[in-house]
Amino acid sequence: MALDEVGQETPFSLRGLPTDPRDAAFIRFVLDRLPHIPSVVEEHPDPGSFMQALSECSLLVGMRLHALILAASVKRLPICGFLYSNKTQTFVREAGLEQVFFPMNTTDTAAIVAVIRESLSGEIPPPSLSEWKEESLRQRAFLTPFLKP
């Protein structure tokens, strides 16, 4: 796996932060294949504790839309990940993050390793979604009067 190669250069630990019960099973499936890397799976009961956990991370490798949106709001937290749904792909495209996300069927381990290395080293800057947020808020303000209560 790509994480094995990165771990040979710089020791690290993995922290699974599931946002859905199905995620916990997937995270454990992945972590079981990396028994030599220290890891933990933490389920957080509320957004505040989830955000606290994110703020303690060095990098988020994600695929769930809401986790990515929350992670993108943590200053200086690089994010990368895998595209498994159209809504996640739309967010990644609109936020200008295509270069750090991969389709789920990606087999290019070298590209994944490069993105993880460059994200951790700061060569790829953490996302700055202020423009994306402003546009989203502008669209919401425009549409709100048309929505039925």
Side-chain angles (χ1 to χ4, degrees), residues 8-24:
Q8 290 173 3
E9 300 165 6
T10 307
F12 64 91
S13 62
L14 297 171
R15 188 175 193 181
L17 303 171
T19 57
D20 180 281
R22 296 169 291 184
D23 294 347

Side-chain angles (χ1 to χ4, degrees), residues 72-134:
S73 69
V74 175
K75 285 189 175 195
R76 295 180 295 279
L77 177 62
I79 63 174
C80 62
F82 298 91
L83 302 169
Y84 87 104
S85 73
N86 288 335
K87 63 184 181 180
T88 303
Q89 186 170 3
T90 299
F91 166 75
V92 165
R93 184 181 61 251
E94 289 180 4
L97 300 171
E98 297 98 330
Q99 77 277 9
V100 294
F101 279 81
F102 300 93
M104 285 298 288
N105 61 352
T106 297
T107 57
D108 188 350
T109 304
I112 296 168
V113 168
V115 163
I116 291 172
R117 281 184 184 136
E118 291 169 11
S119 295
L120 286 170
S121 72
E123 292 175 52
I124 296 176
S128 174
L129 299 183
S130 58
E131 289 179 26
W132 180 81
K133 287 180 194 176
E134 287 174 18

